[in-house]
Amino acid sequence: MPDAPASHAAPTPYTPRDAAALWKRYQNLLVRVASVGLSLDVSRMEPADGFWKRMEPRMQEAFAAMEKLEEGAIANPDEGRRVGHYWLRDPGLAPEQELTEAIERTIHDVKGFAASVHSKEIAPPDEKAPRFTDLLSIGIGGSALGPQLVADALGVKRDKMKVHFIDNTDTDGIRRTLENLGSRLKSTLVLVVSKSGGTPEPRNGMVEAKAAFRRAGLDFAKQAVAITGEGSKLDGIAKSEGWLRRFPMFDWVGGRTSVMATVGLVPAALQGIDVDRFLLGARKMDAATRNPKTAKNPAAMLALMWFHATGGTGEKDMVVLPYKDRLLLLSRYLQQLVMESLGKELDLDGNVVHQGIAVYGNKGSTDQHAYVQQLRDGTNNFFATFVTVLQDTPRAGRDPVIDVDGGEHVTTSGDYLTGFYLGTRKALYENGRESMTITLDKLDAQSLGAVIALYERAVGLYASLVNVNAYHQPGVEAGKKAAAGVLDLQNALLDRLTDKAQSAEALAAAAGQPDQAETALHLLEHLAANKRIAKRAGKYLKA
């Protein structure tokens, strides 16, 4: 029988390293940042021989590019602006003294405002509500994902305020959140977060919240705070209506890197989180990830492993597996940070490259009963990042130790979680599936700040390696423009509705857009389903 064609030849069997070799590899490749209690292990990644040496010159170029960025170079030529989220946690690095002072003043104002709210110096206008008990944050994208991660990861029973979010323009979702507040609306402080003030999602959430306050007989302005750009539409509304407070959003901070600006610090401080420690963790990680020695720099090692795993072209997905309930939202946060930063059609030279890395994940050990089966035995189109926390609870050593097995030695729920992580990593590696692990000594404000800063730096370095701009998002803007056009069509259709039923095709033609019959159909179906227009025999008319 002739040999099979080369294209159908069986792949070379994967041979994992033995235990002794893995132990040595682990010791050689482990990167430890003791100042924040974080370690990065890339020993289960398998770059080809010569990879490190070949990539070192490119890594040094990436370090140089990052240094220029921090010094104030224009990072977003589309808008002619700099990117300075690194200055937020170390204001002395800002290129101008006025920027340093603005950052320091803003942080001082945020903490002062939170203290005044907590002390009841700033209180609700309703006499039946002696203090603000709840916080409603209205935003979208980076104005919501970062604060949500921080609130969920660091929230405790004794929080100063309970935090709620409106992060979409889903009518049902908005109203469910408002209805859940119920009678506590009178003791709810509302943050409206939008740099321009014109972004539809936070604007719509604000309008819906105003309506809810009005129905409850409450004065929205006396319980509202704006976080926005100076001179924006939202800034003008807050000023004219006499809102409780306005905080600035700096134009050199992008949404996906704004969690350490007012966007993230105001809700965190009001919740009762130690924002100084949060910023300190990021500052310490920034110092560690400026190290030009690649093997000692965890952000550089992350970026290089992404490059290796994806071939520098996004060939594989990034699966984020935090073995900690409090880090459930980490994968959602990283989806925006990584995918919006790296998902680009053009490189810096104008070449079509279609770059990006897809990110998804849930949490361990839930994932072991969800999609780890495919990760181990299915298509090998991913690399995994495990995130583990050594300390089971913030009160380790004080909380009761509960034995879940009743055996000779105590075994806790946390022991099982660690076992599932190590077992899953082993099972993946034995089947040729690559992974790396970030380990935190404990999860607190400092270590969470460090994790965020680590990924921010890794994204910037990887962008340099693949020659794309991590700090603009033309695709997002294109989507916004397209959505605006759809709503213009809806208005045109409504203008042409009469008491006589007409087809979607006829209405689109009457609106001067005969090529948009399908879009018209979807719009009309939505309006009819909500009883805003009538539908008869597949045609549409005024309600």
Side-chain angles (χ1 to χ4, degrees):
M1 180 179 293
D3 292 337
S7 60
H8 298 289
T12 302
Y14 173 74
T15 305
R17 299 170 191 266
D18 62 28
L22 269 179
W23 169 237
K24 183 176 181 180
R25 184 173 174 77
Y26 169 82
Q27 292 176 303
N28 289 340
L29 292 176
L30 186 70
V31 184
R32 173 74 176 165
V33 185
S35 61
V36 294
L38 180 149
S39 300
L40 171 66
D41 167 23
V42 300
S43 62
R44 269 62 176 180
M45 303 294 288
E46 295 280 357
D49 293 341
F51 173 82
W52 304 103
K53 184 176 181 180
R54 184 175 73 254
M55 294 300 297
E56 183 60 21
R58 295 175 69 171
M59 197 71 248
Q60 291 303 318
E61 290 176 1
F63 287 145
M66 185 63 67
E67 185 176 356
K68 291 180 180 178
L69 183 77
E70 290 194 286
E71 290 173 351
I74 296 296
N76 191 338
D78 295 351
E79 301 172 11
R81 65 178 176 86
R82 300 177 290 189
V83 173
H85 49 276
Y86 303 101
W87 311 331
L88 295 169
R89 49 261 198 169
D90 197 347
L93 294 178
E96 293 92 35
Q97 180 63 26
E98 53 265 36
L99 280 182
T100 297
E101 294 172 357
I103 298 166
E104 292 174 340
R105 181 171 58 252
T106 300
I107 294 172
H108 178 270
D109 289 347
V110 167
K111 294 192 294 183
F113 176 73
S116 296
V117 171
H118 297 158
S119 68
K120 306 178 191 177
E121 180 183 343
I122 297 176
D126 193 318
E127 294 180 356
K128 297 179 181 178
R131 68 180 183 88
F132 282 112
T133 59
D134 293 77
L135 178 66
L136 174 61
S137 182
I138 303 174
I140 189 68
S143 296
L145 288 166
Q148 285 173 329
L149 168 63
V150 173
D152 193 49
L154 302 179
V156 294
K157 184 178 180 180
R158 61 181 182 278
D159 280 344
K160 302 287 188 182
M161 300 175 73
K162 186 175 181 181
V163 188
H164 314 264
F165 293 91
I166 291 175
D167 64 350
N168 201 0
T169 185
D170 175 6
T171 306
D172 182 52
I174 292 171
R175 294 182 185 176
R176 182 170 64 168
T177 300
L178 293 168
E179 288 168 3
N180 285 342
L181 284 165
S183 63
R184 298 197 312 280
L185 205 62
K186 64 179 177 292
S187 60
T188 296
L189 186 68
V190 182
L191 305 181
V192 183
V193 188
S194 175
K195 183 178 286 189
S196 67
T199 305
E201 294 93 341
R203 182 202 62 204
N204 296 353
M206 176 189 70
V207 172
E208 293 262 13
K210 280 185 172 182
F213 271 74
R214 190 163 51 249
R215 289 192 299 270
L218 300 170
D219 187 342
F220 178 82
K222 293 181 179 178
Q223 296 178 226
V225 174
I227 301 177
T228 189
E230 186 176 355
S232 72
K233 293 179 182 178
L234 177 58
D235 193 43
I237 291 171
K239 188 183 299 184
S240 65
E241 294 181 357
W243 287 20
L244 198 56
R245 191 66 184 266
R246 290 176 289 130
F247 286 100
M249 290 180 73
F250 302 119
D251 65 0
W252 37 266
V253 178
R256 56 190 174 278
T257 55
S258 64
V259 69
M260 292 178 195
T262 50
V263 167
L265 296 186
V266 173
L270 288 167
Q271 185 177 348
I273 291 167
D274 188 339
V275 296
D276 286 329
R277 295 283 294 174
F278 183 55
L279 294 169
L280 177 63
R283 185 162 65 250
K284 288 181 175 180
M285 181 55 73
D286 285 343
T289 54
R290 290 189 188 101
N291 189 340
K293 294 182 179 179
T294 300
K296 300 297 183 182
N297 185 322
M301 294 293 278
L302 268 182
L304 285 171
M305 290 303 92
W306 296 353
F307 191 95
H308 149 66
T310 69
T313 60
E315 292 173 359
K316 291 190 176 183
D317 301 338
M318 181 190 305
V319 182
V320 180
L321 302 173
Y323 274 64
K324 191 73 173 174
D325 283 3
R326 287 181 178 272
L327 293 176
L328 169 66
L329 298 181
L330 180 62
S331 60
R332 286 183 59 191
Y333 175 78
L334 292 178
Q335 275 181 338
Q336 183 188 26
L337 179 63
V338 174
M339 296 177 72
E340 192 167 313
S341 297
L342 302 179
K344 302 295 159 64
E345 180 179 14
L346 305 177
D347 67 12
L348 292 173
D349 300 318
N351 302 310
V352 175
V353 291
H354 295 296
Q355 271 288 356
I357 303 176
V359 180
Y360 67 90
N362 184 21
K363 66 177 182 180
S365 63
T366 299
D367 290 322
Q368 292 177 224
H369 301 272
Y371 54 75
V372 164
Q373 167 63 34
Q374 176 168 315
L375 296 188
R376 186 184 186 278
D377 293 346
T379 304
N380 190 359
N381 62 347
F382 73 96
F383 62 99
T385 302
F386 294 99
V387 184
T388 68
V389 182
L390 296 179
Q391 190 182 79
D392 287 341
T393 74
R395 294 173 52 86
R398 292 174 290 168
D399 281 343
V401 176
I402 298 175
D403 182 6
V404 296
D405 272 355
E408 180 181 355
H409 299 289
V410 171
T411 305
T412 68
S413 298
D415 296 339
Y416 268 95
L417 191 65
T418 299
F420 285 138
Y421 145 62
L422 291 170
T424 301
R425 184 182 68 150
K426 182 175 186 290
L428 292 181
Y429 180 72
E430 288 176 346
N431 218 30
R433 313 306 164 99
E434 293 182 297
S435 72
M436 59 189 112
T437 299
I438 293 172
T439 301
L440 305 178
D441 293 352
K442 59 183 178 179
L443 179 59
D444 59 11
Q446 176 175 276
S447 63
L448 183 61
V451 170
I452 290 171
L454 170 63
Y455 273 97
E456 286 178 347
R457 181 84 58 166
V459 164
L461 293 173
Y462 181 85
S464 292
L465 292 177
V466 298
N467 197 38
V468 298
N469 186 345
Y471 305 106
H472 70 160
Q473 49 282 332
V476 175
E477 300 307 316
K480 290 179 180 179
K481 291 178 181 178
V486 169
L487 293 175
D488 288 341
L489 174 59
Q490 176 173 295
N491 290 332
L493 295 171
L494 287 169
D495 286 341
R496 286 156 180 82
L497 281 175
T498 67
D499 294 331
K500 179 181 177 181
Q502 303 174 73
S503 69
E505 189 174 7
L507 284 165
Q513 299 189 51
D515 59 333
Q516 295 299 310
E518 182 185 343
T519 301
L521 175 67
H522 294 309
L523 292 170
L524 292 164
E525 285 289 297
H526 174 252
L527 291 167
N530 287 281
K531 313 302 182 186
R532 291 161 61 190
I533 66 174
K535 180 180 178 181
R536 184 183 304 157
K539 296 184 178 182
Y540 308 91
L541 63 159
K542 286 184 176 180

